[in-house]
Amino acid sequence: QVQLVESGGGLVQAGGSLRLSCVASGTILSANAMGWYRQAPGKQRELVAVIISGGSTNYADSVKGRFTISRDNARNTVDLQMNSQKPEETAVYSCNLVDGYSEYWGKGTLVTVSS
């Protein structure tokens, strides 16, 4: 069973920075994609950024140039560095792992961006 545990959420002022981390444990195929999604109150969950095991990344247009996703394959971790944050980015941020035919989610961590 794969488990994902996020950390690093909290309160940040608009324009500030926050770093999220996610650790995956369990039996994980080496070829996988890890990413971050967010769900704001009253809105659908959306992709923020994803990184595959080879290092390729993909970002939502709204965060390009401000957010950076990175991973450590040896430790099965994925981080999200968020800079110049905006109040509308207040959301629960969840870690995601896709591994073969399986998909796993963390419980999420709340990020609140104050104006």
Side-chain angles (χ1 to χ4, degrees), residues 24-97:
S25 60
T27 302
I28 303 167
L29 296 177
S30 58
N32 60 70
M34 297 186 76
W36 289 93
Y37 288 72
R38 65 188 178 193
Q39 186 167 21
K43 294 188 176 181
Q44 290 188 333
R45 184 166 57 193
E46 63 176 356
L47 171 70
V48 177
V50 63
I51 182 168
I52 66 172
S53 48
S56 297
T57 59
N58 189 36
Y59 294 91
D61 287 342
S62 61
V63 306
K64 285 180 180 177
R66 297 186 297 117
F67 289 16
T68 302
I69 190 169
S70 59
R71 64 183 291 165
D72 183 330
N73 291 334
R75 295 170 55 227
N76 286 326
T77 61
V78 61
D79 292 347
L80 184 68
Q81 177 66 43
M82 305 183 292
N83 298 329
S84 302
Q85 290 194 260
K86 305 174 182 180
E88 55 265 35
E89 293 177 328
T90 292
V92 174
Y93 285 70
S94 298
C95 181
N96 171 271
L97 185 150

